[in-house]
Amino acid sequence: MTTAITLWFAFVLAAGIIAWFGTSRQAVAFTLLAALTAPATLLTLGHPAITAPPAGHYTVLGARIDVDEAIYVLLDGGDGAPRYYRLPYSTGTANSLQNSLDQAAGNGGSVGMRQGEDGSPGFAEEGQGGREEPKPQEQRAIIN
């Protein structure tokens, strides 16, 4: 369990014991408070999100591959603060991510991730980082 879920569970257990030995008014207040604080378990608090990223396109800001365990990525969807996710490990996904990171580092670009509807991530190098586009060759002026 993550820290957020553990803390919420400890709070609910402690408040439940108090409500058990208290009045019915305290029990109702406890039930309401437990229901209102349940969404707090979805906060990451420095840990990877417990849900998979929604389908869409993301920019990979950082990644760590733990072989045969998981792939940890910091993703920026462009619509708010970046989120930290734990993706299931597979050799193909890890190789794709590593190859994209290597290419992006060599070319000065960035790495993008497309999360499919079926939950499978795909990685690819995107754009040229701070590189200038090559200038087109100018036509020679014809002077008579």
Side-chain angles (χ1 to χ4, degrees), residues 43-93:
L43 298 175
T44 60
L45 301 176
H47 298 282
I50 60 174
T51 59
H57 181 267
Y58 301 93
T59 300
V60 177
L61 301 177
R64 184 178 102 186
I65 301 170
D66 290 347
V67 179
D68 294 330
E69 185 181 325
I71 299 171
Y72 297 94
V73 291
L74 180 61
L75 301 176
D76 184 11
D79 58 349
R83 296 282 315 254
Y84 182 42
Y85 292 99
R86 180 182 190 266
L87 304 175
Y89 180 85
S90 76
T91 305
T93 303

mmCIF file of all heavy atoms in Angstrom, residues 43-93:
data_model
loop_
_atom_site.group_PDB
_atom_site.id
_atom_site.type_symbol
_atom_site.label_atom_id
_atom_site.label_comp_id
_atom_site.label_asym_id
_atom_site.label_seq_id
_atom_site.Cartn_x
_atom_site.Cartn_y
_atom_site.Cartn_z
ATOM 1 N N LEU A 43 -4.046 10.828 -4.192
ATOM 2 C CA LEU A 43 -2.919 11.755 -4.289
ATOM 3 C C LEU A 43 -1.620 10.967 -4.256
ATOM 4 O O LEU A 43 -1.495 9.986 -3.535
ATOM 5 C CB LEU A 43 -2.951 12.750 -3.129
ATOM 6 C CG LEU A 43 -4.178 13.646 -3.059
ATOM 7 C CD1 LEU A 43 -4.129 14.494 -1.803
ATOM 8 C CD2 LEU A 43 -4.274 14.515 -4.292
ATOM 9 N N THR A 44 -0.638 11.419 -5.009
ATOM 10 C CA THR A 44 0.588 10.633 -5.112
ATOM 11 C C THR A 44 1.547 10.867 -3.963
ATOM 12 O O THR A 44 2.252 9.968 -3.560
ATOM 13 C CB THR A 44 1.317 10.939 -6.429
ATOM 14 O OG1 THR A 44 1.647 12.316 -6.452
ATOM 15 C CG2 THR A 44 0.460 10.573 -7.609
ATOM 16 N N LEU A 45 1.645 12.058 -3.428
ATOM 17 C CA LEU A 45 2.544 12.363 -2.313
ATOM 18 C C LEU A 45 3.962 11.849 -2.538
ATOM 19 O O LEU A 45 4.590 11.278 -1.662
ATOM 20 C CB LEU A 45 1.980 11.785 -0.999
ATOM 21 C CG LEU A 45 0.605 12.294 -0.591
ATOM 22 C CD1 LEU A 45 0.135 11.574 0.657
ATOM 23 C CD2 LEU A 45 0.639 13.786 -0.348
ATOM 24 N N GLY A 46 4.483 12.025 -3.729
ATOM 25 C CA GLY A 46 5.840 11.603 -4.037
ATOM 26 C C GLY A 46 5.950 10.172 -4.516
ATOM 27 O O GLY A 46 7.030 9.713 -4.859
ATOM 28 N N HIS A 47 4.860 9.465 -4.550
ATOM 29 C CA HIS A 47 4.839 8.093 -5.046
ATOM 30 C C HIS A 47 4.143 8.082 -6.397
ATOM 31 O O HIS A 47 3.360 8.973 -6.708
ATOM 32 C CB HIS A 47 4.083 7.187 -4.074
ATOM 33 C CG HIS A 47 4.715 7.107 -2.730
ATOM 34 N ND1 HIS A 47 5.822 6.339 -2.471
ATOM 35 C CD2 HIS A 47 4.417 7.719 -1.560
ATOM 36 C CE1 HIS A 47 6.173 6.464 -1.213
ATOM 37 N NE2 HIS A 47 5.335 7.311 -0.634
ATOM 38 N N PRO A 48 4.394 7.063 -7.212
ATOM 39 C CA PRO A 48 3.706 7.011 -8.506
ATOM 40 C C PRO A 48 2.193 6.917 -8.317
ATOM 41 O O PRO A 48 1.716 6.357 -7.333
ATOM 42 C CB PRO A 48 4.237 5.731 -9.152
ATOM 43 C CG PRO A 48 5.393 5.287 -8.347
ATOM 44 C CD PRO A 48 5.322 5.953 -7.027
ATOM 45 N N ALA A 49 1.474 7.490 -9.256
ATOM 46 C CA ALA A 49 0.014 7.418 -9.220
ATOM 47 C C ALA A 49 -0.414 5.954 -9.261
ATOM 48 O O ALA A 49 0.214 5.130 -9.927
ATOM 49 C CB ALA A 49 -0.577 8.180 -10.400
ATOM 50 N N ILE A 50 -1.501 5.647 -8.552
ATOM 51 C CA ILE A 50 -1.955 4.257 -8.511
ATOM 52 C C ILE A 50 -2.800 3.903 -9.729
ATOM 53 O O ILE A 50 -3.138 2.751 -9.934
ATOM 54 C CB ILE A 50 -2.740 3.961 -7.211
ATOM 55 C CG1 ILE A 50 -3.964 4.865 -7.097
ATOM 56 C CG2 ILE A 50 -1.850 4.104 -6.002
ATOM 57 C CD1 ILE A 50 -4.866 4.533 -5.933
ATOM 58 N N THR A 51 -3.106 4.898 -10.553
ATOM 59 C CA THR A 51 -3.857 4.649 -11.777
ATOM 60 C C THR A 51 -2.920 4.771 -12.979
ATOM 61 O O THR A 51 -1.865 5.381 -12.896
ATOM 62 C CB THR A 51 -4.995 5.683 -11.924
ATOM 63 O OG1 THR A 51 -4.423 6.993 -11.944
ATOM 64 C CG2 THR A 51 -5.984 5.579 -10.774
ATOM 65 N N ALA A 52 -3.324 4.189 -14.084
ATOM 66 C CA ALA A 52 -2.554 4.314 -15.327
ATOM 67 C C ALA A 52 -2.858 5.674 -15.951
ATOM 68 O O ALA A 52 -3.926 6.239 -15.716
ATOM 69 C CB ALA A 52 -2.931 3.198 -16.293
ATOM 70 N N PRO A 53 -1.931 6.215 -16.740
ATOM 71 C CA PRO A 53 -2.235 7.491 -17.394
ATOM 72 C C PRO A 53 -3.399 7.329 -18.360
ATOM 73 O O PRO A 53 -3.537 6.291 -19.007
ATOM 74 C CB PRO A 53 -0.942 7.843 -18.136
ATOM 75 C CG PRO A 53 -0.091 6.638 -18.116
ATOM 76 C CD PRO A 53 -0.611 5.718 -17.069
ATOM 77 N N PRO A 54 -4.258 8.348 -18.457
ATOM 78 C CA PRO A 54 -5.363 8.266 -19.417
ATOM 79 C C PRO A 54 -4.837 8.235 -20.847
ATOM 80 O O PRO A 54 -3.721 8.664 -21.115
ATOM 81 C CB PRO A 54 -6.173 9.535 -19.160
ATOM 82 C CG PRO A 54 -5.500 10.282 -18.085
ATOM 83 C CD PRO A 54 -4.262 9.560 -17.683
ATOM 84 N N ALA A 55 -5.648 7.743 -21.750
ATOM 85 C CA ALA A 55 -5.248 7.678 -23.157
ATOM 86 C C ALA A 55 -4.942 9.079 -23.665
ATOM 87 O O ALA A 55 -5.632 10.036 -23.334
ATOM 88 C CB ALA A 55 -6.358 7.055 -23.985
ATOM 89 N N GLY A 56 -3.873 9.198 -24.431
ATOM 90 C CA GLY A 56 -3.498 10.492 -24.979
ATOM 91 C C GLY A 56 -2.010 10.576 -25.243
ATOM 92 O O GLY A 56 -1.281 9.587 -25.157
ATOM 93 N N HIS A 57 -1.554 11.780 -25.559
ATOM 94 C CA HIS A 57 -0.150 12.021 -25.886
ATOM 95 C C HIS A 57 0.513 12.784 -24.747
ATOM 96 O O HIS A 57 -0.054 13.730 -24.210
ATOM 97 C CB HIS A 57 -0.046 12.827 -27.182
ATOM 98 C CG HIS A 57 1.373 13.085 -27.567
ATOM 99 N ND1 HIS A 57 2.041 14.222 -27.188
ATOM 100 C CD2 HIS A 57 2.257 12.345 -28.267
ATOM 101 C CE1 HIS A 57 3.273 14.171 -27.654
ATOM 102 N NE2 HIS A 57 3.428 13.044 -28.304
ATOM 103 N N TYR A 58 1.736 12.363 -24.395
ATOM 104 C CA TYR A 58 2.486 12.975 -23.300
ATOM 105 C C TYR A 58 3.932 13.196 -23.727
ATOM 106 O O TYR A 58 4.438 12.505 -24.601
ATOM 107 C CB TYR A 58 2.497 12.065 -22.063
ATOM 108 C CG TYR A 58 1.126 11.748 -21.549
ATOM 109 C CD1 TYR A 58 0.453 10.605 -21.965
ATOM 110 C CD2 TYR A 58 0.495 12.589 -20.650
ATOM 111 C CE1 TYR A 58 -0.806 10.317 -21.499
ATOM 112 C CE2 TYR A 58 -0.766 12.303 -20.175
ATOM 113 C CZ TYR A 58 -1.414 11.167 -20.597
ATOM 114 O OH TYR A 58 -2.667 10.883 -20.140
ATOM 115 N N THR A 59 4.598 14.135 -23.049
ATOM 116 C CA THR A 59 6.032 14.323 -23.193
ATOM 117 C C THR A 59 6.695 13.697 -21.982
ATOM 118 O O THR A 59 6.294 13.962 -20.848
ATOM 119 C CB THR A 59 6.392 15.819 -23.272
ATOM 120 O OG1 THR A 59 5.722 16.379 -24.406
ATOM 121 C CG2 THR A 59 7.886 16.010 -23.431
ATOM 122 N N VAL A 60 7.703 12.862 -22.220
ATOM 123 C CA VAL A 60 8.415 12.198 -21.133
ATOM 124 C C VAL A 60 9.478 13.159 -20.607
ATOM 125 O O VAL A 60 10.390 13.542 -21.325
ATOM 126 C CB VAL A 60 9.062 10.879 -21.617
ATOM 127 C CG1 VAL A 60 9.854 10.234 -20.494
ATOM 128 C CG2 VAL A 60 8.006 9.928 -22.146
ATOM 129 N N LEU A 61 9.355 13.547 -19.336
ATOM 130 C CA LEU A 61 10.315 14.454 -18.720
ATOM 131 C C LEU A 61 11.442 13.692 -18.040
ATOM 132 O O LEU A 61 12.533 14.226 -17.861
ATOM 133 C CB LEU A 61 9.613 15.363 -17.709
ATOM 134 C CG LEU A 61 8.491 16.231 -18.265
ATOM 135 C CD1 LEU A 61 7.839 17.029 -17.151
ATOM 136 C CD2 LEU A 61 9.008 17.141 -19.354
ATOM 137 N N GLY A 62 11.179 12.469 -17.652
ATOM 138 C CA GLY A 62 12.192 11.646 -17.000
ATOM 139 C C GLY A 62 11.700 10.215 -16.916
ATOM 140 O O GLY A 62 10.495 9.959 -16.942
ATOM 141 N N ALA A 63 12.634 9.292 -16.846
ATOM 142 C CA ALA A 63 12.253 7.882 -16.796
ATOM 143 C C ALA A 63 13.313 7.073 -16.067
ATOM 144 O O ALA A 63 14.490 7.431 -16.060
ATOM 145 C CB ALA A 63 12.064 7.328 -18.203
ATOM 146 N N ARG A 64 12.858 5.996 -15.451
ATOM 147 C CA ARG A 64 13.759 5.032 -14.829
ATOM 148 C C ARG A 64 13.186 3.650 -15.108
ATOM 149 O O ARG A 64 12.010 3.400 -14.886
ATOM 150 C CB ARG A 64 13.853 5.258 -13.322
ATOM 151 C CG ARG A 64 14.872 4.326 -12.677
ATOM 152 C CD ARG A 64 14.999 4.596 -11.215
ATOM 153 N NE ARG A 64 14.242 3.548 -10.527
ATOM 154 C CZ ARG A 64 14.039 3.534 -9.226
ATOM 155 N NH1 ARG A 64 14.464 4.523 -8.479
ATOM 156 N NH2 ARG A 64 13.393 2.554 -8.681
ATOM 157 N N ILE A 65 14.042 2.767 -15.593
ATOM 158 C CA ILE A 65 13.622 1.412 -15.925
ATOM 159 C C ILE A 65 14.218 0.461 -14.901
ATOM 160 O O ILE A 65 15.433 0.370 -14.777
ATOM 161 C CB ILE A 65 14.078 1.021 -17.346
ATOM 162 C CG1 ILE A 65 13.495 1.991 -18.378
ATOM 163 C CG2 ILE A 65 13.692 -0.416 -17.650
ATOM 164 C CD1 ILE A 65 14.059 1.838 -19.766
ATOM 165 N N ASP A 66 13.367 -0.228 -14.151
ATOM 166 C CA ASP A 66 13.793 -1.282 -13.233
ATOM 167 C C ASP A 66 13.473 -2.609 -13.910
ATOM 168 O O ASP A 66 12.298 -2.978 -14.041
ATOM 169 C CB ASP A 66 13.078 -1.182 -11.885
ATOM 170 C CG ASP A 66 13.538 0.020 -11.076
ATOM 171 O OD1 ASP A 66 14.569 0.615 -11.434
ATOM 172 O OD2 ASP A 66 12.867 0.348 -10.087
ATOM 173 N N VAL A 67 14.512 -3.314 -14.342
ATOM 174 C CA VAL A 67 14.348 -4.539 -15.121
ATOM 175 C C VAL A 67 13.503 -5.548 -14.353
ATOM 176 O O VAL A 67 13.713 -5.789 -13.167
ATOM 177 C CB VAL A 67 15.722 -5.127 -15.496
ATOM 178 C CG1 VAL A 67 15.566 -6.414 -16.275
ATOM 179 C CG2 VAL A 67 16.529 -4.115 -16.288
ATOM 180 N N ASP A 68 12.551 -6.140 -15.047
ATOM 181 C CA ASP A 68 11.625 -7.154 -14.533
ATOM 182 C C ASP A 68 10.766 -6.664 -13.376
ATOM 183 O O ASP A 68 10.171 -7.464 -12.667
ATOM 184 C CB ASP A 68 12.377 -8.425 -14.111
ATOM 185 C CG ASP A 68 13.014 -9.132 -15.289
ATOM 186 O OD1 ASP A 68 12.469 -9.029 -16.400
ATOM 187 O OD2 ASP A 68 14.063 -9.772 -15.092
ATOM 188 N N GLU A 69 10.692 -5.344 -13.165
ATOM 189 C CA GLU A 69 9.852 -4.809 -12.087
ATOM 190 C C GLU A 69 8.846 -3.799 -12.619
ATOM 191 O O GLU A 69 7.653 -4.045 -12.624
ATOM 192 C CB GLU A 69 10.712 -4.171 -11.006
ATOM 193 C CG GLU A 69 9.913 -3.707 -9.808
ATOM 194 C CD GLU A 69 10.785 -3.052 -8.769
ATOM 195 O OE1 GLU A 69 11.932 -3.480 -8.586
ATOM 196 O OE2 GLU A 69 10.299 -2.086 -8.149
ATOM 197 N N ALA A 70 9.347 -2.625 -13.059
ATOM 198 C CA ALA A 70 8.450 -1.563 -13.509
ATOM 199 C C ALA A 70 9.229 -0.515 -14.288
ATOM 200 O O ALA A 70 10.455 -0.490 -14.275
ATOM 201 C CB ALA A 70 7.760 -0.904 -12.319
ATOM 202 N N ILE A 71 8.477 0.351 -14.959
ATOM 203 C CA ILE A 71 9.036 1.499 -15.659
ATOM 204 C C ILE A 71 8.402 2.725 -15.015
ATOM 205 O O ILE A 71 7.181 2.872 -15.006
ATOM 206 C CB ILE A 71 8.711 1.460 -17.161
ATOM 207 C CG1 ILE A 71 9.311 0.214 -17.801
ATOM 208 C CG2 ILE A 71 9.204 2.723 -17.854
ATOM 209 C CD1 ILE A 71 8.876 -0.019 -19.226
ATOM 210 N N TYR A 72 9.227 3.593 -14.445
ATOM 211 C CA TYR A 72 8.754 4.805 -13.792
ATOM 212 C C TYR A 72 8.977 5.978 -14.734
ATOM 213 O O TYR A 72 10.085 6.175 -15.218
ATOM 214 C CB TYR A 72 9.511 5.040 -12.485
ATOM 215 C CG TYR A 72 9.292 3.937 -11.477
ATOM 216 C CD1 TYR A 72 10.175 2.866 -11.396
ATOM 217 C CD2 TYR A 72 8.200 3.959 -10.619
ATOM 218 C CE1 TYR A 72 9.973 1.844 -10.480
ATOM 219 C CE2 TYR A 72 7.991 2.938 -9.715
ATOM 220 C CZ TYR A 72 8.877 1.893 -9.635
ATOM 221 O OH TYR A 72 8.673 0.885 -8.746
ATOM 222 N N VAL A 73 7.915 6.757 -15.002
ATOM 223 C CA VAL A 73 8.021 7.891 -15.918
ATOM 224 C C VAL A 73 7.337 9.118 -15.330
ATOM 225 O O VAL A 73 6.328 9.013 -14.630
ATOM 226 C CB VAL A 73 7.410 7.586 -17.306
ATOM 227 C CG1 VAL A 73 8.221 6.566 -18.067
ATOM 228 C CG2 VAL A 73 5.985 7.124 -17.197
ATOM 229 N N LEU A 74 7.921 10.276 -15.604
ATOM 230 C CA LEU A 74 7.316 11.556 -15.261
ATOM 231 C C LEU A 74 6.781 12.120 -16.569
ATOM 232 O O LEU A 74 7.550 12.394 -17.496
ATOM 233 C CB LEU A 74 8.349 12.494 -14.640
ATOM 234 C CG LEU A 74 7.846 13.875 -14.224
ATOM 235 C CD1 LEU A 74 6.761 13.758 -13.156
ATOM 236 C CD2 LEU A 74 8.997 14.727 -13.718
ATOM 237 N N LEU A 75 5.458 12.272 -16.655
ATOM 238 C CA LEU A 75 4.813 12.649 -17.908
ATOM 239 C C LEU A 75 4.170 14.028 -17.806
ATOM 240 O O LEU A 75 3.578 14.379 -16.794
ATOM 241 C CB LEU A 75 3.720 11.637 -18.262
ATOM 242 C CG LEU A 75 4.162 10.184 -18.420
ATOM 243 C CD1 LEU A 75 2.955 9.301 -18.666
ATOM 244 C CD2 LEU A 75 5.162 10.055 -19.547
ATOM 245 N N ASP A 76 4.299 14.792 -18.892
ATOM 246 C CA ASP A 76 3.664 16.100 -18.999
ATOM 247 C C ASP A 76 2.640 16.031 -20.110
ATOM 248 O O ASP A 76 2.985 15.849 -21.272
ATOM 249 C CB ASP A 76 4.717 17.173 -19.298
ATOM 250 C CG ASP A 76 4.135 18.562 -19.326
ATOM 251 O OD1 ASP A 76 2.966 18.742 -18.921
ATOM 252 O OD2 ASP A 76 4.849 19.485 -19.755
ATOM 253 N N GLY A 77 1.376 16.169 -19.731
ATOM 254 C CA GLY A 77 0.300 16.141 -20.716
ATOM 255 C C GLY A 77 -0.010 17.502 -21.290
ATOM 256 O O GLY A 77 -0.827 17.633 -22.191
ATOM 257 N N GLY A 78 0.626 18.554 -20.762
ATOM 258 C CA GLY A 78 0.411 19.893 -21.263
ATOM 259 C C GLY A 78 -0.813 20.572 -20.688
ATOM 260 O O GLY A 78 -1.083 21.723 -20.978
ATOM 261 N N ASP A 79 -1.567 19.900 -19.843
ATOM 262 C CA ASP A 79 -2.793 20.471 -19.301
ATOM 263 C C ASP A 79 -2.733 20.677 -17.788
ATOM 264 O O ASP A 79 -3.744 20.787 -17.132
ATOM 265 C CB ASP A 79 -3.987 19.593 -19.652
ATOM 266 C CG ASP A 79 -3.826 18.175 -19.139
ATOM 267 O OD1 ASP A 79 -2.720 17.812 -18.706
ATOM 268 O OD2 ASP A 79 -4.815 17.422 -19.176
ATOM 269 N N GLY A 80 -1.564 20.739 -17.243
ATOM 270 C CA GLY A 80 -1.424 20.930 -15.799
ATOM 271 C C GLY A 80 -0.041 20.503 -15.359
ATOM 272 O O GLY A 80 0.899 20.435 -16.156
ATOM 273 N N ALA A 81 0.077 20.200 -14.094
ATOM 274 C CA ALA A 81 1.363 19.777 -13.547
ATOM 275 C C ALA A 81 1.716 18.378 -14.056
ATOM 276 O O ALA A 81 0.833 17.547 -14.276
ATOM 277 C CB ALA A 81 1.297 19.765 -12.024
ATOM 278 N N PRO A 82 3.001 18.095 -14.266
ATOM 279 C CA PRO A 82 3.408 16.746 -14.680
ATOM 280 C C PRO A 82 3.030 15.731 -13.606
ATOM 281 O O PRO A 82 2.959 16.046 -12.427
ATOM 282 C CB PRO A 82 4.930 16.855 -14.809
ATOM 283 C CG PRO A 82 5.207 18.301 -14.963
ATOM 284 C CD PRO A 82 4.129 19.021 -14.204
ATOM 285 N N ARG A 83 2.788 14.489 -14.032
ATOM 286 C CA ARG A 83 2.407 13.416 -13.106
ATOM 287 C C ARG A 83 3.419 12.291 -13.212
ATOM 288 O O ARG A 83 3.992 12.026 -14.259
ATOM 289 C CB ARG A 83 1.024 12.849 -13.453
ATOM 290 C CG ARG A 83 -0.144 13.794 -13.325
ATOM 291 C CD ARG A 83 -0.630 14.028 -11.911
ATOM 292 N NE ARG A 83 -0.767 12.855 -11.106
ATOM 293 C CZ ARG A 83 -1.914 12.288 -10.760
ATOM 294 N NH1 ARG A 83 -3.045 12.790 -11.180
ATOM 295 N NH2 ARG A 83 -1.932 11.231 -9.999
ATOM 296 N N TYR A 84 3.598 11.608 -12.109
ATOM 297 C CA TYR A 84 4.548 10.507 -11.969
ATOM 298 C C TYR A 84 3.757 9.200 -12.013
ATOM 299 O O TYR A 84 2.812 9.010 -11.252
ATOM 300 C CB TYR A 84 5.264 10.682 -10.635
ATOM 301 C CG TYR A 84 6.325 9.675 -10.286
ATOM 302 C CD1 TYR A 84 7.242 9.230 -11.217
ATOM 303 C CD2 TYR A 84 6.421 9.191 -8.987
ATOM 304 C CE1 TYR A 84 8.222 8.331 -10.861
ATOM 305 C CE2 TYR A 84 7.402 8.301 -8.627
ATOM 306 C CZ TYR A 84 8.302 7.863 -9.570
ATOM 307 O OH TYR A 84 9.271 6.970 -9.219
ATOM 308 N N TYR A 85 4.138 8.287 -12.934
ATOM 309 C CA TYR A 85 3.410 7.031 -13.117
ATOM 310 C C TYR A 85 4.345 5.836 -13.046
ATOM 311 O O TYR A 85 5.530 5.938 -13.358
ATOM 312 C CB TYR A 85 2.703 6.999 -14.483
ATOM 313 C CG TYR A 85 1.571 7.972 -14.602
ATOM 314 C CD1 TYR A 85 1.742 9.197 -15.231
ATOM 315 C CD2 TYR A 85 0.314 7.665 -14.091
ATOM 316 C CE1 TYR A 85 0.696 10.092 -15.339
ATOM 317 C CE2 TYR A 85 -0.741 8.546 -14.204
ATOM 318 C CZ TYR A 85 -0.548 9.758 -14.824
ATOM 319 O OH TYR A 85 -1.577 10.638 -14.943
ATOM 320 N N ARG A 86 3.775 4.709 -12.676
ATOM 321 C CA ARG A 86 4.475 3.420 -12.681
ATOM 322 C C ARG A 86 3.800 2.571 -13.748
ATOM 323 O O ARG A 86 2.624 2.231 -13.624
ATOM 324 C CB ARG A 86 4.358 2.749 -11.316
ATOM 325 C CG ARG A 86 5.050 1.407 -11.253
ATOM 326 C CD ARG A 86 4.834 0.801 -9.858
ATOM 327 N NE ARG A 86 5.649 -0.357 -9.654
ATOM 328 C CZ ARG A 86 5.254 -1.608 -9.868
ATOM 329 N NH1 ARG A 86 4.017 -1.839 -10.289
ATOM 330 N NH2 ARG A 86 6.062 -2.618 -9.656
ATOM 331 N N LEU A 87 4.551 2.241 -14.801
ATOM 332 C CA LEU A 87 4.025 1.421 -15.887
ATOM 333 C C LEU A 87 4.497 -0.018 -15.707
ATOM 334 O O LEU A 87 5.594 -0.254 -15.206
ATOM 335 C CB LEU A 87 4.522 1.956 -17.236
ATOM 336 C CG LEU A 87 4.211 3.420 -17.546
ATOM 337 C CD1 LEU A 87 4.878 3.827 -18.855
ATOM 338 C CD2 LEU A 87 2.722 3.645 -17.609
ATOM 339 N N PRO A 88 3.689 -0.979 -16.122
ATOM 340 C CA PRO A 88 4.134 -2.369 -16.022
ATOM 341 C C PRO A 88 5.343 -2.615 -16.930
ATOM 342 O O PRO A 88 5.435 -2.054 -18.019
ATOM 343 C CB PRO A 88 2.926 -3.187 -16.467
ATOM 344 C CG PRO A 88 2.011 -2.233 -17.126
ATOM 345 C CD PRO A 88 2.356 -0.854 -16.666
ATOM 346 N N TYR A 89 6.252 -3.453 -16.468
ATOM 347 C CA TYR A 89 7.472 -3.727 -17.226
ATOM 348 C C TYR A 89 7.211 -4.762 -18.304
ATOM 349 O O TYR A 89 6.571 -5.780 -18.076
ATOM 350 C CB TYR A 89 8.578 -4.236 -16.299
ATOM 351 C CG TYR A 89 9.854 -4.536 -17.046
ATOM 352 C CD1 TYR A 89 10.757 -3.535 -17.308
ATOM 353 C CD2 TYR A 89 10.125 -5.823 -17.510
ATOM 354 C CE1 TYR A 89 11.917 -3.792 -18.012
ATOM 355 C CE2 TYR A 89 11.280 -6.089 -18.217
ATOM 356 C CZ TYR A 89 12.172 -5.068 -18.469
ATOM 357 O OH TYR A 89 13.318 -5.325 -19.174
ATOM 358 N N SER A 90 7.705 -4.475 -19.485
ATOM 359 C CA SER A 90 7.808 -5.471 -20.556
ATOM 360 C C SER A 90 9.079 -5.133 -21.324
ATOM 361 O O SER A 90 9.474 -3.973 -21.426
ATOM 362 C CB SER A 90 6.585 -5.450 -21.478
ATOM 363 O OG SER A 90 6.619 -4.346 -22.346
ATOM 364 N N THR A 91 9.723 -6.154 -21.842
ATOM 365 C CA THR A 91 10.985 -5.952 -22.539
ATOM 366 C C THR A 91 10.815 -5.031 -23.743
ATOM 367 O O THR A 91 11.637 -4.140 -23.977
ATOM 368 C CB THR A 91 11.569 -7.309 -22.977
ATOM 369 O OG1 THR A 91 11.665 -8.146 -21.824
ATOM 370 C CG2 THR A 91 12.935 -7.143 -23.596
ATOM 371 N N GLY A 92 9.738 -5.214 -24.493
ATOM 372 C CA GLY A 92 9.502 -4.380 -25.671
ATOM 373 C C GLY A 92 9.310 -2.910 -25.316
ATOM 374 O O GLY A 92 9.865 -2.025 -25.968
ATOM 375 N N THR A 93 8.516 -2.652 -24.287
ATOM 376 C CA THR A 93 8.283 -1.269 -23.861
ATOM 377 C C THR A 93 9.568 -0.636 -23.339
ATOM 378 O O THR A 93 9.881 0.510 -23.656
ATOM 379 C CB THR A 93 7.193 -1.234 -22.771
ATOM 380 O OG1 THR A 93 6.011 -1.849 -23.277
ATOM 381 C CG2 THR A 93 6.879 0.187 -22.355
#
